[in-house]
Amino acid sequence: SLDPPHKGHHFVCEEAIKAGIDKILVIPSYNHVLKNNIASYDFRFRLCEETFKDLKEVEISYIEKIYETKYTIDTLNIVRDIYKYDEYRLLIGRDILEETYKWKDWDKIIKIAEPFVVSRELDSISSTTIRGYLSQGKVKECESMVTPSVLKILETENPYL
C-alpha cells in the first residue's frame, strides 16, 4: 500500500536495479482489499514521488487509480497490456511474501511476474511502525526510516493523527 513509503521500499528498488532490472513501476494501492484506514491515494502517491525521485529507473504509476483495480492480478494484467516487456517481476520484501496466501490468484500472479524477493537489510523499518509514531505526533522518530523530503512533508501534513 506504500502507507507511507520508506527507506526499506527504496532499498528493495536499489537491490532490483543492482540485479539488472532496468524499469520499475511503483504502483500505490488505490483500493486496498487487505487494509483499511490508509492515507489518501494522492498523499501516498506524492510521498512515493519524493521517496524514489533519485532512482531514474523508477516510475510511479497511476494504473490502479485509472483502472480502479483492487487485486494485484488485475493490475498485472493491465501492466502487461500497456508495457510490452519480455519479462515481468514482482518486487516484494520478505515480510510480504509471508502474506501471499491471502492474495487473490497468487498462483496466477507468479506465472505472470516471478517474485523478486529482497531480504531487507532494513527489516526494522516498517510502514506500521512509522504510522504508529505518526499517530502519536512523533514525526522526528521517523527520521531514520523515511527520506528527508518525505519527513519534511510529514512535519507539515500528518494524516495519521
Side-chain angles (χ1 to χ4, degrees):
S1 61
L2 298 160
D3 187 32
H6 54 68
K7 289 181 179 179
H9 297 123
H10 190 278
F11 177 77
V12 168
C13 289
E14 288 176 314
E15 290 301 300
I17 292 164
K18 286 179 194 173
I21 294 176
D22 56 2
K23 176 76 169 182
I24 299 170
L25 292 179
V26 171
I27 306 173
S29 298
Y30 185 66
N31 293 307
H32 202 296
V33 295
L34 298 176
K35 294 183 181 177
N36 297 328
N37 301 322
I38 61 177
S40 77
Y41 177 85
D42 291 332
F43 183 76
R44 290 180 294 114
F45 192 94
R46 187 163 51 111
L47 293 185
C48 285
E49 290 177 317
E50 289 299 321
T51 298
F52 302 103
K53 67 184 177 184
D54 65 317
L55 300 175
K56 66 178 177 24
E57 298 86 353
V58 172
E59 175 186 335
I60 314 303
S61 173
Y62 281 105
I63 286 175
E64 286 205 0
K65 183 175 184 179
I66 293 168
Y67 294 94
E68 297 185 9
T69 58
K70 291 183 182 179
Y71 300 102
T72 301
I73 187 66
D74 299 329
T75 302
L76 280 173
N77 285 323
I78 292 167
V79 166
R80 277 195 319 185
D81 290 343
I82 295 172
Y83 298 91
K84 305 296 183 188
Y85 294 116
D86 295 331
E87 179 183 12
Y88 300 89
R89 303 292 301 272
L90 181 65
L91 276 64
I92 55 176
R94 185 182 59 227
D95 57 327
I96 299 301
L97 188 61
E98 297 168 2
E99 298 179 4
T100 56
Y101 70 92
K102 298 177 187 175
W103 291 26
K104 178 184 178 201
D105 295 330
W106 177 249
D107 57 326
K108 293 177 184 174
I109 290 170
I110 60 176
K111 288 178 183 170
I112 295 170
E114 180 185 347
F116 182 91
V117 182
V118 177
S119 296
R120 293 197 328 226
E121 261 178 36
L122 306 170
D123 273 339
S124 60
I125 299 175
S126 78
S127 295
T128 303
T129 301
I130 294 168
R131 286 192 309 273
Y133 284 131
L134 294 173
S135 70
Q136 299 171 37
K138 297 179 178 179
V139 178
K140 289 291 183 195
E141 299 291 331
C142 303
E143 189 170 12
S144 65
M145 296 181 265
V146 298
T147 63
S149 58
V150 167
L151 186 69
K152 188 173 182 174
I153 292 168
L154 291 171
E155 287 173 341
T156 57
E157 300 173 53
N158 183 352
Y160 304 98
L161 283 174

